Amino acid sequence: MTPDLPEADRIGSLEKIWAPPKGWRALSAVNHSIVGRRFMVTAFAFFLFGGVLAMLIRAQLALPGNAFMGPEAYNQVFTMHGTVMMFLFAIPVIEGFAIYMLPKMLGARDLAFPRLSAFAYWCYLFGGLIVAGSLLLGLAPDSGWFLYTPLSSSTYTPGINADVWLIGVTFVEVSAVAAGVEFMATILKVRTAGMALNRMPLMVWYLWVTAAMIVFGFPPLILGSILLEIERAFDWPFFDPARGGDPLLWQHLFWLFGHPEVYIIFLPAAGIVSTILPVLARHPMVGYTWIVVSVVGLGFISFGLWVHHMFATGIPDLALSFFSAASLLVVLPTAVQFFAWLATLLKGRPEMHLPMLFIYGFFFTFIIGGLTGVMVAVVPFDWQVHDTHFVVAHFHYVLIGGQIFPALAAAYYWLPHFTGRAVSQRLGKVVFWLILVGFTVTFLPMHLTGLLGMPRRVYTYAEGAGWEALNLTSSIGGFILAIGFALFIIDMLVQLRTPGQPVCNPWRTGGLEWAMDIPPPAYNIASLPWVRSRTPGNDTPDLTGDLAEGRGLLATPRNGWRETLAVDMIDGQPDQIVLLPGPTWIPLYTAIAAAVFFGGLLVKVYAVAVLGALAVLACGLVWVWDSGLKEDPERLDIGCGATALPHPAAIMPPSLWGLVFLLASNGALFASLVFGTLFLWTVAPNWPPPVLMGSDAPVIVGTLAGLVLALGGALRALRVGGRGHHGGRQAWLVVATLGGLVAAGGFAAVPVVLVPPVSGHAYAAVTAFAGAYMVFHAGLGAVFTGYAFARGRAGWLSAMRMVEVRAAVIWWVYTAAAGGVTLAVVHLLPRVAQS
Amino acid sequence: MREAAAFGVLVAMIAGFLLWTSAFVALYAVFSLACVHDWPMPRLLVVGAWLVHVAGHGALVAWTLRWWRVRPTDPTGSRPFLRLAAVTIAIAALGATVWTGLPVVLTFGCS
């Protein structure tokens, strides 16, 4: 495409349209580069906080009988170390990296939902501050980072320490799920032209699988946290065995999240290796398709390992064998990647730059962590080392080896993206050796400490146990490691502030993230490329210059719109112009409202929590009201002779895919609830319950009728609306809204009228909870259709512009399906189980 | 519909591991329910659930192989990649289901 404006005017317009807000208004920024940087800086700050806690732990354990910390303080410190590192660093730093880098790698100007990523950041920050701040008040969680019941129940942890974890971590998880949904929709739809699935950079495949794992892996823990908080606050006995609950249910829900979490952390790091290694080996990555297959395989199989954290809980041997087999199986896809990396090194001419050094460090450490992982996957061995320091050594080799070394490689590799200058590698080499040596001295002897029987989570040990020298060695290593990270911070600060030689593409790679000025402008690229390979920068001699001069797509701004492309998800053919939002306060306001909600729950002032929830709903409605067009658009020129519709007129814009993935995540939560119900019926003690819910046929029929009316009404509204019958569409939306309210009323009868007292037995508690879940969904479904009705009245809908109605249909398809299952579980399961 | 069809292609690519997920859940659930409720011939039920899934995997491998053999109109497009990935995933998932369920053939006990 030849731009029809002079270059200076075109670039000036782009800069004006995409200009980030200044001063205190910068808090309203939604641009992905800004939000991504905020995520990464905040995550690194939490990493330092968690690191200081690690130093406290090592100081305490350096000597036997050490009085440096008492058991209460130590419990808070080791719980917070794990919680901060896993929830406030490991996942958010990946999110920050992906938010910053994904659009650049995809040849896009931003993510699909910039406001959602800004909202995710604020939720992360507020949730993180709740969790981290509690330590300063001496109210930090102290039941371990997995918060096992009954230790975390109100009986044994009566203060708000456990509530801080449950509420703060759930707040952070809202952020993670939001980011996961955003990444899935963005990768599937918001790519540049020509970027078919087989031309996506490997890093993007890794991030897509990671995002899917977040979307499906976090909900079990969110459910578990909600149930445990309800138990603690209102005495609903989900986990109390005396009243039909089961502590093992918590462990299942936690580890259903917890094991995939390890791979959620590892996969993006492996993606970093698969990106950097071929560049510095000067050879294309060997086995692209094999790696994609192995990453997909890892994504699935990692969900079949959760019970290997529960081998010592008394689960039948044969059931353990399924999980042991899956735990051994997961080695294969990991090995495929390792062999592909080795083959690439062997076929290339590796250059020993600093990032490569950290990748070799990753190989060395992660292999050891992987091998000890195979050992603990074998049930009899796991029984021997369960809850010992061997396990602590193993997972630090996996997590630090599997994430930190690649992350440090990434920091040095992509540093020029932030500075615009070449990397100075001198100090970095000292950093590498300090970290590698410090890490090895800390954690290698710890395997032996564990094999000699030292348990985890003890604040001290007696002299003469044979653990003294090993612990002192680990503590010395820990401080060497800390010095290494301190030097890394100094190196980064120096390199960010020191002037140097400007560079464009320091590693001479063909990746799209380097086909732009660095540091990148707010719009990333002045025009979008039409790519024909995985390394477009190698296909065109001066791709950066061509794109900057407007010889690409969407080169000329129009109407003040922030534009990027959406494509066919398989072949990468352009099919929509996505109109992105500019700076807005609404993500921050929504996150503040959510903070009021979570804060109200934490201090147990529930009226405040209700106000917060209503404020979230109001913010949400304001959020979506601004989107869309009031007139039917025509197909618009995008360059290269191609045209596309603006997304509000598309059949499936990225926002609807976002809704689909959000509901998939919600479905994972619902499936976990059904699993939990069946688990209690099948395994928990003190079942069957003494009193069952009364059978009430009119309630069942009324609820079903409400669901049918709501779904049918939404579908009819879509059909008649698509034919241009404005009045008919509005009428059916009213029918659907009324149906939703009827269904919500029917489900409300379950917790309010039908179940026995909820504190009496886990049966009543879980049944009431299932009813409340459906009240929420049917009620929100009524809001969806009511909102579509209001949009229709205000002139935002037409036969061509039906996004809101489609969203309502998608919501009601899910709600009707979940409602049907809930009716069966609530009303039929007790009868079947009793018979 | 075009969007749904494209998404369907993506689902077909990972169908092998979707089936493995079903097999894994079925093995654990049938084993647990059969043992807890003293169902007759629990081992037969668990092995049956496993074999049904292995057969399903076999059918999926055959289907993806047929898909793979269709000559692509654009050798550099996404279809050859998708077909190769689908076949590889189908075969890998078959192996995964056989391996994961193998213990029920070798031994059995509800304790």
Side-chain angles (χ1 to χ4, degrees):
Chain A
M1 179 188 186
T2 305
D4 48 12
L5 275 179
E7 185 178 348
D9 291 354
R10 210 169 35 75
I11 298 292
S13 296
L14 277 170
E15 283 177 351
K16 189 176 167 194
I17 291 168
W18 289 83
K22 303 284 184 196
W24 63 276
R25 286 192 175 80
L27 296 179
S28 67
V30 297
N31 179 273
H32 76 105
S33 293
I34 296 171
V35 175
R37 279 198 299 264
R38 284 179 185 165
F39 249 108
M40 286 189 279
V41 169
T42 309
F44 195 70
F46 280 123
F47 175 75
L48 296 181
F49 178 56
V52 169
L53 298 176
M55 291 301 93
L56 293 177
I57 293 170
R58 285 318 320 167
Q60 170 66 17
L61 295 180
L63 300 170
N66 199 343
F68 174 60
M69 266 191 283
E72 293 83 9
Y74 187 80
N75 287 347
Q76 293 189 25
V77 168
F78 82 73
T79 298
M80 286 294 288
H81 169 68
T83 302
V84 167
M85 288 304 198
M86 297 300 274
F87 292 105
L88 304 186
F89 167 68
I91 300 291
V93 78
I94 293 162
E95 291 163 18
F97 172 79
I99 287 171
Y100 180 87
M101 200 56 78
L102 255 183
K104 297 175 175 68
M105 289 183 159
L106 294 170
R109 287 185 173 139
D110 209 321
L111 293 161
F113 318 123
R115 292 177 295 184
L116 190 62
S117 40
F119 171 70
Y121 173 72
W122 295 118
C123 287
Y124 160 54
L125 180 68
F126 296 155
L129 289 177
I130 289 173
V131 175
S134 66
L135 191 65
L136 304 177
L137 301 173
L139 297 172
D142 53 2
S143 314
W145 85 280
F146 30 63
L147 217 76
Y148 279 170
T149 58
L151 178 60
S152 59
S153 66
S154 54
T155 308
Y156 300 104
T157 306
I160 69 162
N161 306 54
D163 302 310
V164 166
W165 191 100
L166 293 166
I167 287 165
V169 167
T170 301
F171 203 177
V172 174
E173 285 171 338
V174 169
S175 157
V177 171
V181 166
E182 168 136 36
F183 299 156
M184 288 186 80
T186 298
I187 293 171
L188 275 191
K189 290 301 295 179
V190 186
R191 313 193 296 254
T192 196
M195 192 176 279
L197 285 179
N198 58 315
R199 292 179 190 144
M200 291 200 313
L202 274 173
M203 183 77 227
V204 174
W205 274 106
Y206 277 98
L207 288 175
W208 198 80
V209 173
T210 303
M213 291 177 71
I214 290 174
V215 161
F216 290 103
F218 274 60
L221 180 57
I222 294 175
L223 174 71
S225 299
I226 295 170
L227 298 185
L228 185 50
E229 182 56 30
I230 291 175
E231 177 176 297
R232 289 176 53 83
F234 305 114
D235 196 31
W236 293 27
F238 299 106
F239 307 107
D240 177 6
R243 291 178 286 167
D246 196 331
L248 274 192
L249 175 59
W250 168 263
Q251 290 201 30
H252 277 294
L253 293 175
F254 183 88
W255 290 115
L256 264 166
F257 143 84
H259 201 84
E261 157 99 337
V262 176
Y263 291 88
I264 289 169
I265 291 168
F266 168 67
L267 282 180
I272 288 169
V273 175
S274 292
T275 304
I276 297 176
L277 186 141
V279 172
L280 299 185
R282 300 291 159 214
H283 191 280
M285 190 70 210
V286 172
Y288 177 93
T289 306
W290 287 96
I291 290 182
V292 172
V293 167
S294 68
V295 173
V296 170
L298 265 178
F300 275 94
I301 295 170
S302 66
F303 278 88
L305 315 185
W306 83 90
V307 167
H308 88 202
H309 297 269
M310 301 165 63
F311 279 166
T313 56
I315 291 172
D317 293 348
L318 189 61
L320 295 187
S321 73
F322 301 146
F323 292 92
S324 182
S327 302
L328 295 171
L329 189 64
V330 82
V331 171
L332 290 179
T334 313
V336 167
Q337 292 169 74
F338 265 87
F339 285 118
W341 292 326
L342 292 177
T344 307
L345 284 173
L346 287 172
K347 294 189 83 170
R349 289 169 287 105
E351 296 173 0
M352 189 50 84
H353 296 292
L354 185 55
M356 196 63 131
L357 209 53
F358 282 100
I359 286 176
Y360 287 144
F362 156 76
F363 284 153
F364 174 70
T365 50
F366 187 75
I367 284 281
I368 294 174
L371 289 175
T372 52
V374 174
M375 293 162 75
V376 293
V378 178
V379 179
F381 184 86
D382 182 79
W383 284 343
Q384 297 303 313
V385 296
H386 182 75
D387 260 348
T388 71
H389 269 73
F390 184 92
V391 177
V392 181
H394 156 66
F395 68 69
H396 278 91
Y397 262 89
V398 170
L399 295 173
I400 296 181
Q403 185 184 41
I404 299 298
F405 279 94
L408 293 170
Y412 284 107
Y413 180 81
W414 277 293
L415 187 62
H417 226 278
F418 299 87
T419 62
R421 299 184 296 274
V423 175
S424 164
Q425 306 192 26
R426 275 172 302 180
L427 202 54
K429 288 180 181 170
V430 182
V431 169
F432 168 75
W433 285 110
L434 277 172
I435 289 178
L436 184 70
V437 170
F439 171 77
T440 306
V441 173
T442 308
F443 293 106
L444 196 62
M446 203 177 279
H447 292 98
L448 195 52
T449 320
L451 288 173
L452 289 172
M454 181 170 172
R456 300 166 64 181
R457 300 185 289 273
V458 290
Y459 83 103
T460 191
Y461 51 94
E463 199 165 356
W467 308 331
E468 297 92 329
L470 290 167
N471 270 302
L472 185 60
T473 307
S474 287
S475 295
I476 292 169
F479 282 90
I480 297 172
L481 190 58
I483 293 167
F485 282 113
L487 206 57
F488 170 73
I489 296 167
I490 293 169
D491 194 19
M492 284 289 134
L493 291 176
V494 168
Q495 300 217 33
L496 285 168
R497 290 179 168 273
T498 310
Q501 187 70 27
V503 288
C504 296
N505 187 353
W507 310 108
R508 291 175 285 127
T509 167
L512 276 182
E513 78 270 27
W514 298 104
M516 58 189 66
D517 294 335
I518 54 173
Y523 50 85
N524 283 344
I525 32 181
S527 61
L528 280 58
W530 198 310
V531 302
R532 289 178 176 76
S533 78
R534 287 172 203 149
T535 50
N538 295 341
D539 303 337
T540 311
D542 184 19
L543 183 63
T544 309
D546 286 352
L547 297 178
E549 288 163 18
R551 284 191 284 277
L553 305 171
L554 299 179
T556 307
R558 64 192 136 208
N559 306 333
W561 287 346
R562 294 182 170 210
E563 294 179 335
T564 195
L565 278 179
V567 298
D568 172 274
M569 65 178 76
I570 303 292
D571 295 320
Q573 294 301 311
D575 69 0
Q576 297 166 37
I577 301 169
V578 181
L579 311 181
L580 297 166
T584 164
W585 292 99
I586 199 68
L588 178 57
Y589 292 158
T590 312
I592 290 172
V596 170
F597 169 70
F598 284 111
L601 294 180
L602 183 60
V603 297
K604 297 186 171 32
V605 182
Y606 296 109
V608 172
V610 170
L611 283 177
L614 291 174
V616 169
L617 181 62
C619 287
L621 291 174
V622 173
W623 181 318
V624 289
W625 189 266
D626 281 344
S627 311
L629 295 172
K630 275 213 160 182
E631 290 178 2
D632 287 349
E634 295 176 351
R635 293 186 72 85
L636 301 175
D637 176 36
I638 60 170
C640 300
T643 61
L645 276 174
H647 81 267
I651 302 285
M652 276 296 279
S655 53
L656 291 188
W657 281 110
L659 180 61
V660 168
F661 295 130
L662 180 66
L663 286 174
S665 187
N666 191 356
L669 187 142
F670 181 69
S672 303
L673 177 62
V674 173
F675 162 77
T677 307
L678 295 174
F679 178 86
L680 291 175
W681 270 103
T682 309
V683 177
N686 294 316
W687 283 71
V691 188
L692 286 178
M693 196 175 80
S695 178
D696 198 332
V699 170
I700 299 173
V701 172
T703 311
L704 268 176
L707 289 174
V708 170
L709 270 181
L711 176 59
L715 283 167
R716 290 295 300 170
L718 182 62
R719 173 167 289 198
V720 300
R723 292 181 191 143
H725 300 314
H726 178 82
R729 181 197 66 220
Q730 294 296 91
W732 281 110
L733 285 172
V734 171
V735 169
T737 307
L738 292 175
L741 293 174
V742 170
F747 283 116
V750 174
V752 174
V753 180
L754 297 178
V755 290
V758 285
S759 295
H761 196 274
Y763 158 74
V766 79
T767 304
F769 184 83
Y773 174 88
M774 286 313 306
V775 171
F776 175 76
H777 283 76
L780 208 51
V783 172
F784 262 79
T785 43
Y787 171 78
F789 177 84
R791 292 280 282 182
R793 270 183 69 104
W796 292 92
L797 301 186
S798 71
M800 192 183 204
R801 291 170 283 121
M802 295 279 280
V803 173
E804 291 84 348
V805 184
R806 284 196 187 88
V809 168
I810 291 169
W811 184 270
W812 273 110
V813 166
Y814 173 81
T815 301
V821 174
T822 303
L823 285 175
V825 169
V826 166
H827 293 282
L828 293 182
L829 180 65
R831 311 298 178 265
V832 173
Q834 278 217 320
S835 65
Chain B
M1 280 308 291
R2 191 169 153 233
E3 290 276 299
F7 193 67
V9 171
L10 208 56
V11 172
M13 179 185 135
I14 60 169
F17 280 117
L18 290 173
L19 198 52
W20 174 83
T21 306
S22 166
F24 195 81
V25 171
L27 278 173
Y28 190 35
V30 173
F31 169 74
S32 301
L33 290 169
C35 284
V36 166
H37 295 295
D38 286 330
W39 289 352
M41 294 186 289
R43 185 173 194 175
L44 195 64
L45 291 171
V46 181
V47 172
W50 179 58
L51 288 177
V52 165
H53 279 91
V54 170
H57 275 292
L60 183 64
V61 169
W63 180 73
T64 52
L65 280 171
R66 280 183 59 190
W67 189 34
W68 188 36
R69 287 190 191 117
V70 177
R71 189 180 293 275
T73 50
D74 174 12
T76 64
S78 58
R79 304 293 152 160
F81 160 77
L82 287 167
R83 289 168 190 167
L84 177 60
V87 171
T88 315
I89 285 174
I91 294 171
L94 168 63
T97 295
V98 169
W99 169 253
T100 314
L102 213 51
V104 298
V105 183
L106 302 175
T107 180
F108 197 86
C110 283
S111 62

